Amino acid sequence: MACTQRSCQKACSLSPDGITSHKAVVTKRGSLEILPCTVSQLLTASQVSNDSFAICDWELHQVSLVGVIRGFAPFVTNVQYSVDDMTGPPLNVKQWVNTEDCALMMFASPGTYVKVTGSLRNFKGQRSLLAMDIRCIKDLNEITSHMLEVVQAHMQLFGKMFDVNMNTTAASLSGRAVKCGGGHSDAFLPHGLSTIQGQVLNVIKSFSVHDDGISCHDLKTQLDYLSMKDIRTSLAFLIREGHVFSTIDDKHFKSTEH
């Protein structure tokens, strides 16, 4: 974490109640001021304009994210972190720094959990979180607290019941389908799928109208923010659980619903 020696102790301290104080606030205009999110949601949010994103038609302003630092790179005017919450590939987080304090900067080592508050940006096709505040986490209960806040905030905003992986639960099947992230329809995922498995399944479903289904290459093109390893692991699970089957060869797939 980028902070001066004088302020590092303050930045790394917990709030009095031991949990994060950031909440999702909905204004009368319907914009989100601070929305607890996961990396996967930020990577799949719909891009409205160059630096404007939305989740389920709600425009994002400030978001909060909790994850572990996988690496960092200090520069003259900013520090870039790689933050991972295990819902998708690590997200690039950039924090601008005061050049006068640069020599006194201290950085959190990889493996440190942090909470980041900032805004989502797009630079040369790569999404990153422009951080307004980065705070290290000492009490790991904050990780669980953040995930519960993510579930609660999205349930209140979008009128649906979600599990911890942000999959729509059976209690919400009577609700209307809403278009979420990546431009693919939220097709009410079977209970128990992870976020990544659900994203892979949704893309396969959308291409299952074709006789051959979708190829592994085209699947990677649609989900370019996921690694091929994650896609193949998800495919193996979906085939094993009976959600997906191969068609003309072992590199083309369709949903069993079709």
Side-chain angles (χ1 to χ4, degrees), residues 35-36 41 55 150-159 162 166:
L35 178 68
Q41 290 173 325
I55 296 178
V150 171
V151 173
Q152 181 185 34
H154 286 72
M155 180 181 68
Q156 292 177 341
L157 293 173
F158 308 130
F162 295 91
M166 294 311 299

Side-chain angles (χ1 to χ4, degrees), residues 86-197:
M86 277 67 80
T87 65
L91 179 68
N92 180 61
V93 175
K94 178 185 291 186
Q95 184 179 41
W96 295 105
V97 297
N98 188 331
T99 54
E100 295 179 357
D101 294 333
C102 187
L104 299 176
M105 289 295 172
M106 297 178 62
F107 307 103
S109 60
T112 301
Y113 278 89
V114 294
K115 176 161 187 176
V116 183
T117 303
S119 54
L120 190 61
R121 292 289 184 266
N122 180 34
F123 180 70
K124 293 183 178 180
Q126 181 183 13
R127 296 189 183 189
S128 61
L129 191 61
L130 183 59
M132 295 183 61
D133 178 67
I134 299 179
R135 177 174 62 84
C136 62
I137 291 176
K138 293 183 179 180
D139 185 354
L140 296 184
N141 287 323
E142 285 203 61
I143 303 172
T144 303
S145 175
H146 175 76
M147 293 307 297
L148 292 175
E149 288 180 2
V150 171
V151 173
Q152 181 185 34
H154 286 72
M155 180 181 68
Q156 292 177 341
L157 293 173
F158 308 130
K160 294 183 178 183
M161 297 288 290
F162 295 91
D163 62 19
V164 293
N165 289 319
M166 294 311 299
N167 296 324
T168 310
T169 65
S172 299
L173 290 180
S174 59
R176 63 184 180 88
V178 181
K179 210 160 193 181
C180 298
H184 299 294
S185 176
D186 176 12
F188 301 123
L189 301 174
H191 182 69
L193 295 188
S194 70
T195 303
I196 294 177
Q197 291 164 357

Side-chain angles (χ1 to χ4, degrees), residues 6-28:
R6 298 186 299 274
S7 62
C8 187
Q9 183 177 1
K10 179 179 179 182
C12 294
S13 63
L14 294 176
S15 57
D17 57 0
I19 62 174
T20 177
S21 60
H22 292 301
K23 302 294 182 183
V25 180
V26 184
T27 67
K28 292 182 179 180

